[in-house]
Amino acid sequence: MNFDELILERQSDRKYDASRAVEEEKLMECIISAGQAPSACNAQPWKFIIVRDSALKTQVCGCAVSMWLNKFCADAPAVVALVLEKPNFTSKIGSVLQGKEYTLIDVGIVAYHFCLKASNLGLGTCMVGWFNEKKVKKLLGVPSSKRVPLLITVGYRAGDLRKKVRKELSDIYSVDKY
Ligand SMILES: Cc1cc2nc3c(=O)[nH]c(=O)nc-3n(C[C@H](O)[C@H](O)[C@H](O)COP(=O)(O)O)c2cc1C
């Protein structure tokens, strides 16, 4: 797959082939690629938790299901949780001085790297930001001082590749002035 194909191939997949488990090695490959992501001051403020135990996975995925939201999570063949780790000193100081949450930018990039690699391996993913974080942290033994900004569901896509719904090009850039 070339780069442009990969960009189109990655979508939020919310239907997975229940008969196909996600290979552990493929999850590891995704994490290895994600770890190559850039971050402010190279702080790499992230840690992935692969939820291997199937009963635990059901519980963690259940934390994302609320009313009509994220019902698909319950059927995700695999899930990883992304923990926001403490940044290094320079990133932290930079964030304070610039008033920018560099670590949140960093985790967004690392999550996308993970998802792109997954697509390259033929896997579907969905980044999930709506879930009961407190419950997830408890289930996974994440210290209360840390945040879990995202879960990523992973599985073999069962639905179709969709056309992307995006703003007009003219709405997302300008030249020289805002
Ligand atoms: C930070 C973040 C949080 C998201 N949270 C959810 C979520 O809780 N549930 C969900 O179904 N999709 C979630 N998504 C997926 C977006 O809805 C999706 O990326 C967007 O609609 C564009 O579609 P595409 O990913 O298929 O290109 C999230 C995406 C991001 C980047």
Side-chain angles (χ1 to χ4, degrees), residues 53-169:
D53 181 272
S54 109
L56 184 61
K57 183 188 72 68
T58 304
Q59 286 179 294
V60 169
C61 290
C63 292
V65 182
S66 77
M67 293 181 289
W68 69 96
L69 269 174
N70 291 336
K71 278 190 177 164
F72 74 95
C73 288
D75 303 319
V79 67
V80 298
L82 185 47
V83 181
L84 181 56
E85 293 293 333
K86 271 194 184 153
N88 59 21
F89 183 71
T90 44
S91 170
K92 200 171 176 174
I93 291 291
S95 279
V96 172
L97 294 179
Q98 288 292 314
K100 287 178 196 166
E101 284 289 340
Y102 288 131
T103 55
L104 277 183
I105 300 172
D106 297 339
V107 289
I109 297 170
V110 83
Y112 189 52
H113 262 224
F114 180 101
C115 294
L116 282 180
K117 179 65 181 192
S119 293
N120 198 234
L121 294 171
L123 288 163
T125 55
C126 188
M127 289 182 240
V128 175
W130 180 275
F131 58 91
N132 187 323
E133 185 180 346
K134 214 171 164 186
K135 273 193 189 165
V136 167
K137 279 165 59 172
K138 199 163 179 213
L139 285 166
L140 299 178
V142 177
S144 57
S145 59
K146 295 188 192 291
R147 302 294 312 264
V148 177
L150 281 174
L151 300 174
I152 305 177
T153 56
V154 190
Y156 286 94
R157 176 185 299 152
D160 296 326
L161 184 63
R162 302 181 302 271
K163 187 174 166 2
K164 300 219 184 303
V165 179
R166 294 296 188 261
K167 290 181 178 177
E168 292 297 326
L169 188 58

